[in-house]
Amino acid sequence: MKSVNSFYNQPDVNEPTLLFTIDLDKKVAGVFPLITYRTSNIYSQKYKKIRSIWFDLPPDDWDAPTDHHSAMEFLKIYLPGGFVQDPTYGLGVTKELRPIIHAVEEIEGVSRIVIGGRETTRHEHSVFYFRESDFSNLRMVFGRTTRRHQQESLMERNILAHNNVLHHVYPEKYRLKEPPYRPGTIYKLVGGQDAAQTVLQGKDRTALLKTVVGNAAAIADRDPKEFVQLQKDLELVSLDKLIRTFEKSLGRNHNESHWQKMLELNPFILSMVFGYPIVIVQAGASVGGGSIAGNGTKIADFLSKNSSSHNAAIVEIKTPQTPVCGTEYRGGVFKPSNHLMGAVAQVLDQRQKFTVSLPMTKYNSPELSSLQAYAVDCVIVVGTMPTEIAQISSFEMVRSQFKDVRIVTFDELFGKLLLLREMLTGERYVSPIDDEEDEGEPPFEIDADDEEDESEFDEEEIIVLR
């Protein structure tokens, strides 16, 4: 304690305090880390649990210290690397290596650390043993990590100085600098091996997505298995989100524009209806029928085509709340609703006008030169399946008689999405909606916002799955 007291200009301590000891027979030495900075706890134990740290001494060619000066020299020569060699600073490990002490102290009952060349790294009773090479390797890794962060800190400070001095005063002459990308940065930032548990926020999500898209080719070339799995995972996440959005929308009174937007962003849903891959040519497409005065033009919700044969198809979208059955005509027999029959007449009229006007359309729009009208498919997406047996029977018999018009309900579309998910994962979809407080909206209640705004589509509900 002589050096500590002299450092603080205090008189020598009368009662000796054990700082280190030497076992001449076993040729080992031990240090007892103490607090040596001026505080009410001076000369108390430095660490919470670890009272002493022991290490091997050379087998020969060393002399035991006999006084204060030789003791100081002994510590400088024989303490392992990574240890404080001046008793003025309390002995023990350097500040850089303190995490090692903290990790060992997590083990219940440990109060001593032994570092030896003949040991294996292990824990026994109150002692944690370090193989000398293991401790040395860990110390070197700590050193590299510290130096790397010091370099990164210096670089970031240089960038901050540049941006807040030069760029701030002369923004046109000195461009704003950003920290350069370093390999391994993303791996560390998103949690390493536990990255799947990391929830990204805001701009981080967008930046990571753009990075993945920009590196897709390299990922596919170097890590084809990981790339295939990435595609599968992203598609499944997108599909689950789409299913959830579709399910929520079924319980609300969204207008036609909401459903048109969803199907426009996810045309593969319509492909499942047609039974072949389609490409949407135009949403809200003019299919002809205008008078010489310029009015009366027929507008189809979707003009699409078979991606292989280029045969055209017309899609008319209603809403899930549109009834498909009307009043009871005779006992147990229900007429199709006026809305359904109107939609059938509407889409057939659109097909007729489109077929007649297609040559002129292709003349005026050369980009549509491949579009054909061999046998134009017509699809109506309308309502939901009735719940009463008699109405189901009447609806099925009626729609099966339309040879040129395919009628599918919104809940049938939803069922196709669920079936697709089950085929991809082998698992049935479990709805999370029952477990959520979903704004308290009763199903099918008229939403004033929906009626006023036919173009808005909730940003959180925009799902694109190709």
Side-chain angles (χ1 to χ4, degrees):
M1 298 289 91
K2 181 177 179 180
S3 60
V4 178
N5 292 323
S6 63
F7 184 80
Y8 291 122
N9 297 317
Q10 294 180 345
D12 288 345
V13 178
N14 293 325
E15 296 182 4
T17 302
L18 185 62
L19 282 178
F20 77 96
T21 186
I22 301 173
D23 188 323
L24 297 175
D25 295 328
K26 295 182 179 179
K27 291 185 173 53
V28 296
V31 297
F32 300 83
L34 300 180
I35 295 174
T36 55
Y37 54 87
R38 181 173 287 180
T39 174
S40 59
N41 296 323
I42 193 169
Y43 300 144
S44 62
Q45 186 176 307
K46 178 183 284 189
Y47 306 126
K48 291 182 179 180
K49 297 180 180 180
I50 300 301
R51 297 180 179 274
S52 61
I53 305 175
W54 296 78
F55 53 93
D56 289 338
L57 292 172
D60 47 31
D61 296 333
W62 59 272
D63 296 321
T66 57
D67 54 23
H68 176 78
H69 178 73
S70 60
M72 296 281 284
E73 289 299 316
F74 178 88
L75 291 172
K76 290 180 181 179
I77 295 173
Y78 295 111
L79 271 178
F83 276 75
V84 177
Q85 298 175 342
D86 189 342
T88 304
Y89 302 103
L91 300 182
V93 298
T94 61
K95 186 176 180 179
E96 180 183 284
L97 300 186
R98 281 184 190 173
I100 298 176
I101 302 297
H102 297 157
V104 173
E105 287 183 324
E106 290 289 328
I107 303 174
E108 186 176 356
V110 172
S111 60
R112 183 168 47 157
I113 293 176
V114 173
I115 303 172
R118 298 182 298 274
E119 303 292 348
T120 57
T121 301
R122 68 191 189 282
H123 163 236
E124 288 183 8
H125 305 296
S126 63
V127 183
F128 188 89
Y129 295 91
F130 258 118
R131 183 191 296 272
E132 187 175 5
S133 59
D134 291 344
F135 182 84
S136 178
N137 290 336
L138 185 57
R139 179 175 61 85
M140 288 189 291
V141 171
F142 271 51
R144 287 196 297 268
T145 302
T146 300
R147 289 190 295 273
R148 182 171 63 250
H149 286 297
Q150 288 173 342
Q151 293 169 356
E152 292 175 358
S153 173
L154 177 60
M155 179 183 62
E156 290 181 6
R157 282 180 278 139
N158 286 333
I159 291 174
L160 284 172
H162 172 93
N163 292 340
N164 288 275
V165 176
L166 298 176
H167 175 74
H168 180 75
V169 178
Y170 300 107
E172 295 182 358
K173 183 176 180 180
Y174 298 98
R175 297 178 58 187
L176 187 70
K177 286 186 177 181
E178 296 285 350
Y181 166 75
R182 290 180 291 273
T185 299
I186 294 177
Y187 177 81
K188 291 184 291 185
L189 288 178
V190 299
Q193 294 181 349
D194 297 327
Q197 308 301 321
T198 303
V199 180
L200 299 178
Q201 301 293 329
K203 294 180 180 179
D204 292 337
R205 290 195 297 260
T206 304
L208 185 59
L209 181 59
K210 289 181 178 179
T211 302
V212 172
V213 171
N215 289 270
I219 296 173
D221 182 51
R222 297 180 183 179
D223 303 290
K225 291 184 179 179
E226 286 78 1
F227 182 72
V228 171
Q229 186 61 44
L230 174 64
Q231 284 183 307
K232 181 179 178 180
D233 291 343
L234 289 176
E235 289 173 358
L236 184 57
V237 169
S238 299
L239 180 58
D240 281 344
K241 179 65 175 175
L242 175 60
I243 289 174
R244 184 177 178 182
T245 301
F246 201 108
E247 185 179 20
K248 283 185 175 181
S249 297
L250 284 174
R252 299 175 181 175
N253 193 50
H254 288 302
N255 54 26
E256 292 180 12
S257 64
H258 172 90
W259 294 101
Q260 290 169 3
K261 186 69 174 178
M262 183 183 293
L263 295 176
E264 180 181 358
L265 292 173
N266 299 276
F268 86 97
I269 302 177
L270 295 177
S271 293
M272 293 192 296
V273 176
F274 285 106
Y276 52 78
I278 68 162
V279 175
I280 292 180
V281 177
Q282 180 67 49
S286 171
V287 293
S291 66
I292 195 172
N295 53 21
T297 299
K298 307 298 180 180
I299 304 296
D301 288 335
F302 289 110
L303 175 61
S304 56
K305 68 176 182 178
N306 186 313
S307 60
S308 300
S309 68
H310 305 288
N311 184 50
I314 295 176
V315 182
E316 184 65 25
I317 306 295
K318 299 304 178 183
T319 71
Q321 291 73 47
T322 304
V324 295
C325 289
T327 58
E328 188 174 10
Y329 178 70
R330 293 280 174 86
V333 176
F334 288 83
K335 298 185 296 183
S337 69
N338 290 335
H339 296 282
L340 178 58
M341 295 309 298
V344 171
Q346 179 184 11
V347 74
L348 289 174
D349 179 63
Q350 291 171 353
R351 184 182 69 167
Q352 192 268 337
K353 298 297 191 299
F354 169 75
T355 303
V356 171
S357 62
L358 181 59
M360 184 58 66
T361 300
K362 294 166 69 172
Y363 177 80
N364 292 326
S365 303
E367 69 275 10
L368 300 180
S369 59
S370 64
L371 192 61
Q372 302 297 332
Y374 302 128
V376 179
D377 262 336
C378 296
V379 169
I380 299 173
V381 183
V382 58
T384 56
M385 187 65 65
T387 56
E388 297 181 11
I389 297 298
Q391 290 185 340
I392 295 175
S393 174
S394 297
F395 173 63
E396 288 288 14
M397 287 189 291
V398 167
R399 72 170 174 177
S400 65
Q401 299 307 307
F402 292 113
K403 65 181 183 66
D404 291 335
V405 179
R406 220 174 304 188
I407 301 171
V408 61
T409 62
F410 281 89
D411 53 339
E412 288 177 318
L413 275 187
F414 183 64
K416 289 178 181 292
L417 288 176
L418 297 184
L419 180 60
L420 174 62
R421 185 189 188 280
E422 187 173 345
M423 291 173 60
L424 291 175
T425 66
E427 301 174 352
R428 288 188 177 276
Y429 173 76
V430 178
S431 171
I433 291 182
D434 292 339
D435 299 329
E436 299 175 349
E437 295 182 5
D438 194 21
E439 293 133 9
E441 293 184 6
F444 308 145
E445 180 180 353
I446 295 177
D447 189 336
D449 292 336
D450 276 348
E451 291 182 340
E452 293 175 0
D453 189 352
E454 296 192 356
S455 62
E456 287 292 326
F457 198 83
D458 188 350
E459 184 178 354
E460 292 297 323
E461 295 181 344
I462 295 181
I463 314 299
V464 181
L465 187 61
R466 301 301 183 193

